[in-house]
Amino acid sequence: MSAPALAPPGGEDHVISVRGLVNRFGTQVVHDGVDIDIRRGEVIGIIGGSGAGKSVLMRSILGLQRFQAGRVWWFGQEVATLADEQRRSLERRVGVMFQDGALFSSLNVLENVMVPLKEHTRLDEHFIADLARMKIALVGLPPDAADKFPEQLSGGMRKRAGLARSLALDPEVVFFDEPTSGLDPIGAAAFDELVATLHEALHITVILITHDLDSVYRICERVAVLADSRVIALDTPEKVQVMDHPWIRQCFQGPRARMAYTQAQTLKSAATTP
Amino acid sequence: MVIAEFERLESEDGYVLRLKGDWTVAGLPAIEERTRDLHARERPVRIDASELARLDTAGALLLVQRWLGAQPWPPMEHLRPADRDLLELVGERMASPRPKKRRVYGLLPLAERAGIAAENATRQFLLLVGFGGQTLLTFLAILVGKRKLRWTSAVHHMERAGLDAVPIVCLLSFLVGAVVAFLGATVLADFGAQVFTVELVSFSFMREFGVLLTAIMIAGRSGSAYTAEIGMMRAREEIDAIRSLGMDPIELLVVPRVIALVTVLPVLSFLAVLSGILGGALVGSTELGISPGLFLARMQETAELRHFVVGLVKAPVFAVLIALVGCLEGLKVRASAESVGRHTTSSVVQAIFLVILLDALFAIVFMELDV
Ligand SMILES: Nc1ncnc2c1ncn2[C@@H]1O[C@H](COP(=O)(O)OP(=O)(O)OP(=O)(O)O)[C@@H](O)[C@H]1O
Ligand SMILES: [Mg+2]
């Protein structure tokens, strides 16, 4: 492993930086020196085969899982060196949308969205409820969804509700773990649209872990490819897709990828020509 | 962080609202409280955002809710285009306030709720009976070879509910045995009949305490585990998966657990009887001067086999009850963590209640039969 770069690698402009991350489970090596920088305000995709370690990378960055070696910086500060209080205040600036929403099953949607607000702010409960209702509307859920419990929602609605909760504190950075998996193509496209809108209006940095090349082409400015236990490519989708690596070739040059690419191109040109 | 502030600058045709500081979740509480009775009735003629440092959705919502109201909005000076977009998005998605549901109090609703609760209780009981019947049918189908008995699962549960419970059941009975002996000795000493402590301990453990203590322990230990296991499977749609794969949850999950408890509960009860008597004998020899030899001799003289049998016949009945209640409560779980907890509690409470109730019925029946 090469010596870790000096802190903070890239400066304030990088909301999250990772150097030399190593993750092992028994004899299985998942990460072996992962380096990545996430720039403020970008939409970055993280792709890789199933089991490549995308979710583990996210959990390591968020401090939900211990790693064997490596360093992680949030907003230019190394996480391992932070005091508890500082760390918690930084955590508030990072949101996560888990794969299945991870909603609290004993609370309804409104209460789910209110939880972080009640916990971390001194705002009045009525105002919090109004704010939560607005967030619920923001992610495109109908108003009557607010009173429903997670078990009464469809998979796509649960994802949206999870998104609403992750946006509750207006985080600067939001992780999405496979937001469009399990959605129909139209629903997936709508979700991408939603992410793009929120990215623009709320100025959030979006980290999109995904299998869906459609999403990558549609909304990602850069894309990181996880393979062979490290980040093998990190660039715009157009540049990454022509790189010479077996996994990239398979992923980007299959028939599905071509279709996703041409579709995205036509959409883009349609959007630019008035 | 700078807290949010605002200033009202009066002019001849109305007022100008000047925003200052961080209009964010963290900076907002103070002005939120102060402006609670503004409902955007008196709108500003102009917004001056030159001193606004930051704006997030909470700040935007407050601004729209308290000052701006519905579109069209007054002109806004020095507002960054990004913040303008945010304001517009928030204004568009802001929900209109909704009336709250109220709970009605009073005599009539109370009666109504009591009625509903009573009906619920009856329905739960019928459900338990029906579930017992279903399990019995599955068991019969296994006996005639139409269904398979899951040996691996049954043995696994025997180990967990039986073998693993031996230490705690023995210890508990031993202690209760000692306590009963002490109690008996204290009371009987007044009549100079200390030696009857032997009968007290041996009869009570053989007829009642051995099996009752064990059943209560198992209801708490295994009945609750069954509910939590099956409940978690239910919450994660595993039960539905079992059904959709053409398998039967009763055959797969319930029957092995019932069989396991029916086998181990009598054995555990037997061990409990032994430990209880041992505890009594220990107290007898150390504190009351009844030597172990005398204790044994007197027990052989007075205790009849029927006492022992009367105790042990109850064990399989209790076992079926505990296993059925545990599994049924598990199957009732809905997809929430809270529901798993509620049904686990309810499973233990029901099982212990039913065990004691049945034990009382047994006692009456045996008394009438004179055994
Ligand atoms: N707690 C754990 N214990 C052991 N192995 C684990 C653990 N968590 C993850 N792994 C292993 O690490 C590897 C990477 O898992 P990860 O969940 O990150 O994959 P992924 O890239 O997110 O895949 P997918 O796209 O299917 O979600 C897998 O091989 C998995 O088996
Ligand atoms: Mg994953």
Side-chain angles (χ1 to χ4, degrees), chain A residues 6-262:
Chain A
L6 290 177
E12 252 298 290
D13 199 34
H14 288 162
V15 285
I16 284 174
S17 302
V18 177
R19 289 289 177 276
L21 184 74
V22 176
N23 263 304
R24 269 182 247 112
F25 295 106
T27 55
Q28 182 195 6
V29 178
V30 178
H31 296 136
D32 186 18
V34 168
D35 298 336
I36 197 169
D37 280 321
I38 311 243
R39 296 183 193 148
R40 186 177 293 282
E42 72 175 340
V43 179
I44 184 171
I46 297 182
I47 61 173
S50 201
K54 304 181 293 291
S55 301
V56 172
L57 175 63
M58 177 184 91
R59 297 174 59 83
S60 305
I61 291 176
L62 291 169
L64 298 173
Q65 189 165 340
R66 289 177 167 276
F67 40 87
Q68 270 75 39
R71 307 171 73 185
V72 175
W73 289 262
W74 291 354
F75 307 103
Q77 304 190 48
E78 187 167 358
V79 177
T81 65
L82 292 177
D84 240 25
E85 196 45 45
Q86 266 176 309
R87 193 195 149 100
R88 226 166 292 145
S89 78
L90 285 191
E91 266 169 5
R92 265 169 244 173
R93 295 163 63 182
V94 181
V96 197
M97 194 195 111
F98 290 96
Q99 200 154 355
D100 195 32
L103 297 169
F104 303 121
S105 52
S106 51
L107 303 178
N108 67 24
V109 172
L110 182 69
E111 290 161 341
N112 259 288
V113 180
M114 287 169 71
V115 166
L117 287 163
K118 275 194 195 164
E119 194 60 34
H120 291 305
T121 72
R122 289 179 295 112
L123 286 170
D124 170 69
E125 183 145 349
H126 289 289
F127 187 69
I128 288 182
D130 289 342
L131 194 55
R133 279 218 181 80
M134 193 265 288
K135 298 264 149 109
I136 290 168
L138 204 61
V139 298
L141 283 173
D144 62 339
D147 299 324
K148 289 194 171 150
F149 284 86
E151 58 183 298
Q152 298 166 323
L153 300 177
S154 73
M157 289 166 89
R158 270 205 287 274
K159 279 182 203 280
R160 282 172 191 265
L163 176 59
R165 191 182 63 186
S166 69
L167 294 178
L169 291 170
D170 280 273
E172 291 162 49
V173 181
V174 181
F175 282 85
F176 291 87
D177 195 357
E178 304 191 11
T180 54
S181 72
L183 296 186
D184 64 288
I186 299 168
F191 205 94
D192 288 340
E193 197 70 30
L194 173 64
V195 172
T197 313
L198 294 176
H199 165 69
E200 249 163 56
L202 311 181
H203 328 300
I204 45 181
T205 309
V206 174
I207 301 160
L208 194 68
I209 295 173
T210 185
H211 281 153
D212 188 351
L213 282 179
D214 282 321
S215 311
V216 171
Y217 282 123
R218 243 184 323 237
I219 56 176
C220 292
E221 291 151 30
R222 294 198 303 161
V223 55
V225 183
L226 259 185
D228 308 334
S229 311
R230 46 181 82 220
V231 177
I232 55 162
L234 177 57
D235 214 324
T236 61
E238 284 71 23
K239 285 196 183 138
V240 168
Q241 66 173 348
V242 295
M243 283 185 185
D244 191 32
H245 181 279
W247 190 83
I248 294 182
R249 230 178 296 131
Q250 268 186 11
C251 171
F252 280 90
Q253 274 138 42
R256 288 168 60 109
R258 294 202 166 283
M259 236 160 69
Y261 180 64
T262 42

Side-chain angles (χ1 to χ4, degrees), chain B residues 50-337:
Chain B
S50 53
E51 288 172 53
L52 177 67
R54 296 199 306 156
L55 182 73
D56 72 358
T57 50
L61 179 66
L62 193 77
L63 192 59
V64 175
Q65 203 181 57
R66 309 280 155 95
W67 286 281
L68 296 180
Q71 298 258 29
W73 289 333
M76 301 182 198
E77 287 165 1
H78 307 291
L79 190 68
R80 285 176 293 262
D83 289 346
R84 166 107 218 175
D85 292 346
L86 177 63
L87 264 181
E88 263 162 23
L89 186 67
V90 167
E92 183 189 312
R93 299 296 172 93
M94 202 180 83
S96 47
R98 295 179 340 125
K100 270 194 186 166
K101 271 185 243 159
R102 268 176 186 277
R103 197 174 164 164
V104 210
Y105 296 93
L107 222 53
L108 218 58
L110 179 75
E112 184 189 335
R113 280 200 292 275
I116 292 174
E119 199 199 326
N120 251 339
T122 344
R123 203 177 291 154
Q124 297 302 322
F125 181 71
L126 289 180
L127 209 60
L128 182 63
V129 174
F131 184 64
Q134 230 175 332
T135 310
L136 187 67
L137 279 183
T138 313
F139 186 69
L140 291 179
I142 289 174
L143 281 189
V144 298
K146 271 200 187 154
R147 299 279 186 82
K148 267 187 290 179
L149 178 58
R150 313 284 161 162
W151 275 112
T152 324
S153 165
V155 172
H156 167 76
H157 286 294
M158 282 180 203
E159 181 184 343
R160 273 191 22 202
L163 214 54
D164 294 356
V166 168
I168 186 74
V169 166
C170 287
L171 179 68
L172 201 80
S173 315
F174 180 85
L175 293 176
V176 174
V179 169
V180 169
F182 260 126
L183 206 68
T186 325
V187 176
L188 294 172
D190 296 343
F191 308 102
Q194 276 197 350
V195 84
F196 282 99
T197 308
V198 177
E199 276 98 319
L200 181 68
V201 172
S202 56
F203 282 29
S204 64
F205 264 85
M206 282 197 245
R207 289 189 76 112
E208 296 293 341
F209 285 171
V211 61
L212 203 59
L213 281 176
T214 314
I216 290 174
M217 280 302 292
I218 293 300
R221 238 186 133 260
S222 305
S224 62
Y226 291 174
T227 308
E229 283 164 14
I230 295 180
M232 217 42 224
M233 291 179 76
R234 182 74 226 255
R236 297 175 48 176
E237 297 186 326
E238 287 174 48
I239 304 279
D240 298 338
I242 289 176
R243 284 218 178 92
S244 73
L245 291 171
M247 298 180 287
D248 176 12
I250 294 194
E251 174 191 339
L252 223 58
L253 303 173
V254 180
V255 172
R257 284 177 167 83
V258 174
I259 289 180
L261 276 202
V262 170
T263 354
V264 301
L265 197 66
V267 181
L268 285 174
S269 305
F270 177 65
L271 292 177
V273 172
L274 287 189
S275 318
I277 294 178
L278 197 70
L282 189 78
V283 170
S285 69
T286 54
E287 303 290 323
L288 316 174
I290 308 173
S291 74
L294 179 62
F295 196 100
L296 210 63
R298 183 147 181 100
M299 221 175 89
Q300 264 178 341
E301 221 171 89
T302 56
E304 293 169 42
L305 186 65
R306 66 186 168 95
H307 297 308
F308 186 66
V309 174
V310 158
L312 277 198
V313 289
K314 292 187 276 190
V317 181
F318 291 170
V320 171
L321 203 71
I322 293 168
L324 283 183
V325 168
C327 294
L328 179 61
E329 285 301 310
L331 288 172
K332 281 189 209 158
V333 166
R334 322 240 328 264
S336 81

